[in-house]
Amino acid sequence: MWNASSTDTRTKQWLIHILVQEIVCDLDEATNEAVLLIHWTGGRHTELRVARVKTGRCPDMAPSAVEALRKLAGHWPDRELAVSLNRMRCKPGYGETWTTFRVREMRERLGIPEFDPAKADGEMISLMKAAERLGICVGSAKSLVLKGILPAKQILPGSPWLVPVEALASEEVRIGVQRAIDRRPKVYQQYQYDKFIGLPGL
């Protein structure tokens, strides 16, 4: 039934609900693997090992925190700067993660003014705001960016995308947005509710 061409995703979800009681994840540091123990209904167990991504396989290309702050501070508030610095792996000197307080502290030490939304470049908006204006989710908007349909830029690799406002009205973007909307299931809200599988009993 699982491999039948007529079996849709929703049916497979219900099969999993029936067959799987729970999945317990553990880490094996010696082999650098994630160990998944599947508890099946009926009492049987299956162990599955998945290799974890190894760190250090490529050189660290993250910019320094000072460089990143100088380039990004005028475009984003401190909270979003903290998220971006952590995403780009720009570590503070003391080895902790970035918080809004730490960003503000370093920004003030460097003499960088606070982000002022009134003075922000009105010609560029974030990808999230662009998605809201287009009536699609952020994932679909990013897909349009990666396909070259929606123009956008990153000041630094890993930093938030900036989208020119004028690009939202282009015919190419309008067609791309319509295609993204047309790909939605007919019962979109019900699909949003059903697409994630919860663990039994939760």
Side-chain angles (χ1 to χ4, degrees):
M1 184 175 181
W2 182 273
N3 294 323
S5 58
S6 59
T7 303
D8 58 11
T9 303
R10 188 169 184 177
T11 303
K12 290 184 177 182
Q13 290 175 344
W14 285 115
L15 284 173
I16 292 174
H17 272 290
I18 295 169
L19 297 176
V20 178
Q21 215 169 34
E22 68 174 351
I23 300 175
V24 179
C25 180
D26 196 7
L27 301 179
D28 188 338
E29 299 293 345
T31 60
N32 196 37
E33 293 176 320
V35 183
L36 304 177
L37 185 60
I38 304 173
H39 292 181
W40 300 95
T41 300
R44 291 182 178 273
H45 308 289
T46 301
E47 182 181 288
L48 180 65
R49 289 179 169 266
V50 181
R52 299 170 62 197
V53 176
K54 296 181 180 179
T55 59
R57 292 186 298 178
C58 56
D60 187 4
M61 303 300 291
S64 69
V66 173
E67 176 191 357
L69 273 178
R70 291 192 185 281
K71 291 185 177 181
L72 299 176
H75 299 277
W76 311 99
D78 292 345
R79 182 179 179 279
E80 294 187 40
L81 287 174
V83 173
S84 297
L85 291 173
N86 286 323
R87 185 188 300 120
M88 294 187 292
R89 299 183 180 181
C90 299
K91 297 294 184 182
Y94 32 81
E96 301 292 337
T97 57
W98 286 100
T99 63
T100 302
F101 174 78
R102 289 178 179 139
V103 169
R104 182 172 67 248
E105 188 179 51
M106 177 170 277
R107 180 177 52 72
E108 291 174 350
R109 195 184 316 139
L110 295 172
I112 302 173
E114 185 178 2
F115 171 76
D116 185 356
K119 296 181 180 179
D121 187 357
E123 297 180 357
M124 305 291 287
I125 58 175
S126 68
L127 187 63
M128 180 177 294
K129 289 183 179 179
E132 290 176 0
R133 294 193 186 187
L134 294 171
I136 57 178
C137 67
V138 177
S140 295
K142 187 175 181 181
S143 177
L144 294 179
V145 170
L146 297 178
K147 292 176 181 177
I149 297 173
L150 178 63
K153 70 174 184 177
Q154 288 177 302
I155 298 173
L156 290 171
S159 66
W161 290 93
L162 287 170
V163 180
V165 175
E166 62 179 12
L168 303 182
S170 73
E171 182 67 13
E172 187 179 11
V173 170
R174 188 194 66 78
I175 294 173
V177 168
Q178 189 57 51
R179 287 175 178 169
I181 293 174
D182 291 342
R183 284 195 297 270
R184 292 174 179 172
K186 293 181 179 179
V187 189
Y188 181 65
Q189 290 183 341
Q190 184 66 29
Y191 171 77
Q192 289 291 92
Y193 179 79
D194 291 339
K195 71 177 182 178
F196 293 111
I197 303 172
L199 291 177
L202 296 181

